[in-house]
Amino acid sequence: MATDTQLDLWEVFIQGKSGGHHMHAGSVHASDKEMALKNARDLYTRRSEGGSIWVVPSSAIISSAPDDAAMLFDPANDKIYRHPTFYVIPEGAKQI
Amino acid sequence: MNSTDLVTSFERKIDAEDKIEPRDAMPEKYRLHLIRQISQHAHSEVIGMQPEGNWLSRAPSLRAKQILLAKIQDEGGHGLYLYSAAETLGISRDEMIRQLHEGKARYSNIFNYPTLTWADIGAIGWLVDGAAIVNQVALQRTSYGPYARAMFRICKEESFHQRQGYEIMANMMKGTVAQREMAQDAMNRWWWPSLTMFGPHDSDSPHSGDAFRWKIKRKSNDELRQKFIDKTVQQAEVIGLTIPDAQLKWNEEKQGYDHGEINWEEFKRVINGDGPCNRQRIEHHKKCHEEGRWVREAAEAYQRKIQSINN
């Protein structure tokens, strides 16, 4: 074999505590999904960091391009009425 | 994006203390500097497993053996976090290993020294990992996102390494005369090489200019070295070990210790390949890599078979 590819790249997501989001923890190399899960377990949960692991082939992840950031995210800047602090609440009103 | 825009957007992020992420525009020299530094860091973690592995079968108790095994496994893990961070910059794992084997990529010089006694395992954990922690805590603020994130994870795990090493030294210093002498001997042999882990003096540090400008490096070699010395001297005193430096003296004015000059001739000789264990370390790595090749090939063959069944 001319090149030693060291297997495929997978991204690892760990749920830190029950009910929480799965967060990106890092990557592992593996040739198939079972191996990816095992390697992720060995590499990222040696100290009870989580109770659930997702592994995803890195090639399956679509990400937004840095150049598109303005187009995608700037429109949210002038819609401050989406935040609760935008509204004027009469003095004395409670629990709102 | 044209090249002027590229530089501007990169510099704006650096100035704002934003992290640079893999798909962001970055100068080619920034990318190459990081590949060099992160791969060297990864290789250090992996090569560092060897001097400790030397004592696995001779650890003095089952407790000590379990701890050492866990620590070595952590070092391997740290290597993998860092290889992954380097891979985001467009270099393959295969290429990094090739550069290590061909001597084009380096690893920390400290691992070219042998572990002669059990006390050396204590000295490595306490001094070598202690020095690495000082360096790595500063690197948590490095400008490249994946590198900074790897540093956070590594720092969380390293403090166990340093404490287990210090515990070994403390226990030996409470032991027999022979055990105390063994601990002091390890201290004498590891102290100076540990100080060289921070690299040359700021005045002779060839890569520092760009690294500071791009916020890859946040503290200078001499600043970090001083920090390490200042915290380690007190720890040595508590357990009765002597720092092997006759010129070590508290400097009230700078609120830190003055220390004797490091033997840079020895440092250069060892880093250029002529240390006690250089050849052995790389030979061993090559051997393991070759002996594991069939496993990688079998895994790939299995993957192809599964795919052909599914298609």
Side-chain angles (χ1 to χ4, degrees):
Chain A
M1 210 175 283
T3 55
D4 187 349
T5 64
Q6 310 245 330
L7 316 180
D8 295 334
L9 192 62
W10 299 69
E11 299 305 320
V12 180
F13 299 82
I14 307 229
Q15 186 184 37
K17 54 177 189 270
S18 161
H21 292 282
H22 283 71
M23 306 275 276
H24 184 240
S27 329
V28 289
H29 282 226
S31 60
D32 62 68
K33 54 192 179 186
E34 284 83 13
M35 189 194 284
L37 199 57
K38 269 187 162 154
N39 288 353
R41 182 256 161 217
D42 286 349
L43 191 56
Y44 293 104
T45 61
R46 289 195 300 279
R47 289 174 174 78
S48 332
E49 286 92 338
S52 166
I53 303 175
W54 293 346
V55 288
V56 181
S58 304
S59 58
I61 291 182
I62 316 294
S63 66
S64 62
D67 287 356
D68 294 341
M71 179 183 76
L72 292 172
F73 308 118
D74 286 357
N77 289 345
D78 58 4
K79 295 181 180 62
I80 50 172
Y81 47 83
R82 283 186 167 141
H83 297 278
T85 47
F86 176 75
Y87 298 91
V88 181
I89 300 299
E91 213 157 302
K94 286 179 184 164
Q95 298 194 27
I96 181 160
Chain B
M1 214 187 272
N2 67 38
S3 64
T4 324
D5 288 347
L6 182 153
V7 171
T8 320
S9 94
F10 172 79
E11 284 179 351
R12 215 173 29 230
K13 281 209 179 86
I14 295 283
D15 289 344
E17 293 283 329
D18 278 350
K19 300 291 183 208
I20 305 297
E21 293 296 338
R23 296 187 62 193
D24 288 342
M26 62 182 90
E28 185 61 6
K29 275 177 138 180
Y30 176 83
R31 195 178 71 85
L32 295 176
H33 186 108
L34 279 167
I35 287 179
R36 187 181 58 77
Q37 179 169 338
I38 302 173
S39 69
Q40 175 173 329
H41 200 156
H43 296 324
S44 302
E45 300 282 357
V46 171
I47 297 290
M49 296 163 82
Q50 291 185 39
E52 299 190 305
N54 183 35
W55 280 88
L56 264 181
S57 61
R58 292 174 287 163
S61 67
L62 182 58
R63 177 183 184 269
K65 187 174 187 155
Q66 280 179 314
I67 292 170
L68 186 57
L69 202 55
K71 179 180 188 299
I72 295 171
Q73 191 191 14
D74 273 355
E75 306 297 3
H78 296 174
L80 293 177
Y81 305 155
L82 287 159
Y83 283 129
S84 295
E87 283 171 285
T88 63
L89 293 157
I91 186 169
S92 69
R93 185 85 54 99
D94 190 34
E95 172 66 14
M96 286 187 270
I97 303 293
R98 200 177 55 75
Q99 289 181 355
L100 174 69
H101 288 175
E102 290 175 359
K104 287 179 186 152
R106 286 183 165 154
Y107 55 89
S108 179
N109 202 35
I110 194 94
F111 302 119
N112 289 321
Y113 292 88
T115 41
L116 304 178
T117 71
W118 174 250
D120 288 21
I121 298 303
I124 287 186
W126 175 40
L127 299 174
V128 175
D129 287 316
I133 289 171
V134 170
N135 189 28
Q136 292 174 152
V137 164
L139 281 172
Q140 288 178 347
R141 292 177 53 238
T142 195
S143 59
Y144 188 57
Y147 194 24
R149 291 192 284 275
M151 284 300 109
F152 269 101
R153 195 172 284 280
I154 288 175
C155 286
K156 260 201 272 178
E157 299 183 354
E158 282 282 356
S159 68
F160 132 58
H161 298 181
Q162 196 193 12
R163 293 175 74 131
Q164 67 86 32
Y166 189 55
E167 189 195 79
I168 290 174
M169 295 303 254
N171 284 342
M172 291 188 90
M173 290 306 286
K174 284 186 284 191
T176 63
V177 173
Q179 284 168 334
R180 286 201 298 274
E181 281 172 2
M182 197 182 271
Q184 183 63 53
D185 170 62
M187 174 90 203
N188 295 349
R189 282 181 291 107
W190 290 94
W191 174 253
W192 291 103
S194 299
L195 296 191
T196 66
M197 283 175 70
F198 299 98
H201 284 310
D202 298 347
S203 48
D204 314 311
S205 186
H207 302 293
S208 279
D210 283 345
F212 272 112
R213 199 157 52 81
W214 292 327
K215 298 184 180 167
I216 294 173
K217 200 171 171 138
R218 307 307 303 254
K219 290 223 164 28
S220 79
N221 295 354
D222 285 332
E223 272 178 280
L224 293 169
R225 185 162 25 237
Q226 186 69 49
K227 209 173 175 147
F228 170 71
I229 293 171
D230 291 345
K231 58 192 240 179
T232 308
V233 171
Q234 191 267 345
Q235 294 164 7
E237 280 168 3
V238 168
I239 58 176
L241 280 166
T242 307
I243 306 270
D245 178 357
Q247 286 162 273
L248 190 83
K249 202 170 83 224
W250 178 253
N251 181 330
E252 187 62 31
E253 201 177 319
K254 77 169 184 187
Q255 287 293 302
Y257 286 90
D258 290 333
H259 61 91
E261 193 44 88
I262 292 161
N263 183 346
W264 293 111
E265 285 309 309
E266 178 187 312
F267 175 75
K268 278 181 202 139
R269 184 168 55 74
V270 178
I271 210 167
N272 287 324
D274 206 15
C277 300
N278 300 51
R279 289 168 202 82
Q280 179 188 337
R281 298 288 184 242
I282 291 297
E283 281 316 306
H284 184 77
H285 193 280
K286 281 183 184 163
K287 180 167 158 271
C288 290
H289 192 65
E290 282 311 311
E291 286 175 359
R293 182 180 295 278
W294 72 270
V295 179
R296 296 188 291 278
E297 287 174 0
E300 282 172 352
Y302 177 72
Q303 180 193 28
R304 281 194 299 274
K305 187 177 161 191
I306 295 295
Q307 277 169 350
S308 71
I309 291 169
N310 289 344
N311 285 340

